Amino acid sequence: GFDADTKHQIYTDIYNDSVWLTNLVENLLSVTRLEDGNMKLNKSAELIDEIIAEALNHINKRSVEHKITVCESDDIMLVDVDARLIVQVIINIVQVIINIVDNAIKYTPKGSEITISTQKNDDMISVSIADNGNGIADDIKDKVFDMFYTGANKIADSRRSLGLGLALCKTIISAHGGEITVSDNNLHGAVF
């Protein structure tokens, strides 16, 4: 007895929830494989600018409520990622950027500014994602990368936050020989 628009919305909600659940399971499996050392990485060079552009193509629809700026370096910056599993690895690296930008979108007020910057430091590339939201309290900064830690943010995107996004980011970045940190943004907000 539902009209066509209501049916379409129900189907869309079911599809979106199934995608969310699939991503949740894939994230758990990725963290487990990486932490257990069961995912071997055979690295090859990829352009960081292309990875960021790909990530921004997948960012949550709510990103239109925020101003996202990418500050690209004039240098050509290559990062080492797995060539054998290139699709999965790029998705994983893109997922790191998606998770951090998506967190900035979820936990900052509408109209907040999010800036993505890249910089070459010796043989490492630094990607900074900064927002001008409320920031992260000093007493929880060392916990935000722990699996299942959600702090005071119990609800995210109309779903229960499970505290997996930043834990997955840390695991993937560590597996690639990198490091992820969080600090205060100038004036207010957070920088990952």
Side-chain angles (χ1 to χ4, degrees):
F2 293 119
D3 62 32
D5 288 341
T6 303
K7 286 179 185 177
H8 181 34
Q9 185 59 51
I10 291 170
Y11 298 147
T12 301
D13 290 345
I14 291 169
Y15 175 78
N16 289 339
D17 284 346
S18 66
V19 168
W20 176 80
L21 186 57
T22 300
N23 289 337
L24 170 66
V25 171
E26 287 175 356
N27 285 347
L28 284 170
L29 288 172
S30 292
V31 167
T32 303
R33 286 182 192 131
L34 286 167
E35 287 182 346
D36 289 346
N38 292 331
M39 186 180 285
K40 304 259 190 273
L41 300 177
N42 298 311
K43 298 176 182 179
S44 65
E46 294 292 325
L47 288 170
I48 191 69
D49 293 340
E50 290 180 1
I51 292 172
I52 291 171
E54 180 68 18
L56 292 177
N57 284 336
H58 295 281
I59 294 297
N60 192 301
K61 290 179 275 186
R62 289 181 299 141
S63 66
V64 297
E65 299 170 348
H66 297 71
K67 179 182 177 190
I68 299 177
T69 305
V70 178
C71 301
E72 296 176 347
S73 171
D74 291 335
D75 296 330
I76 294 175
M77 290 186 266
L78 299 170
V79 291
D80 285 332
V81 294
D82 188 309
R84 186 175 51 88
L85 301 170
I86 193 68
V87 173
Q88 183 176 355
V89 171
I90 288 181
I91 288 170
N92 285 340
I93 293 174
V94 167
Q95 191 63 45
V96 170
I97 296 170
I98 290 170
N99 284 346
I100 295 173
V101 174
D102 203 38
N103 273 358
I105 290 168
K106 285 177 188 175
Y107 301 122
T108 60
K110 290 180 184 178
S112 296
E113 293 183 25
I114 300 164
T115 304
I116 304 170
S117 306
T118 57
Q119 181 178 347
K120 187 167 178 136
N121 301 319
D122 298 323
D123 63 344
M124 300 292 282
I125 292 176
S126 171
V127 178
S128 297
I129 301 171
D131 66 62
N132 64 350
N134 298 325
I136 299 172
D138 289 337
D139 60 328
I140 67 168
K141 281 185 182 138
D142 60 341
K143 299 175 189 171
V144 296
F145 298 108
D146 293 348
M147 194 173 303
F148 304 117
Y149 181 78
T150 60
N153 299 310
K154 300 295 181 208
I155 302 295
D157 195 18
S158 302
R159 296 181 180 95
R160 229 172 139 243
S161 177
L162 297 175
L164 293 174
L166 291 175
L168 176 63
C169 292
K170 181 179 180 180
T171 302
I172 291 169
I173 290 172
S174 295
H176 283 84
E179 178 184 14
I180 185 169
T181 61
V182 61
S183 60
D184 293 328
N185 197 1
N186 193 10
L187 300 181
H188 55 90
V191 180
F192 285 87

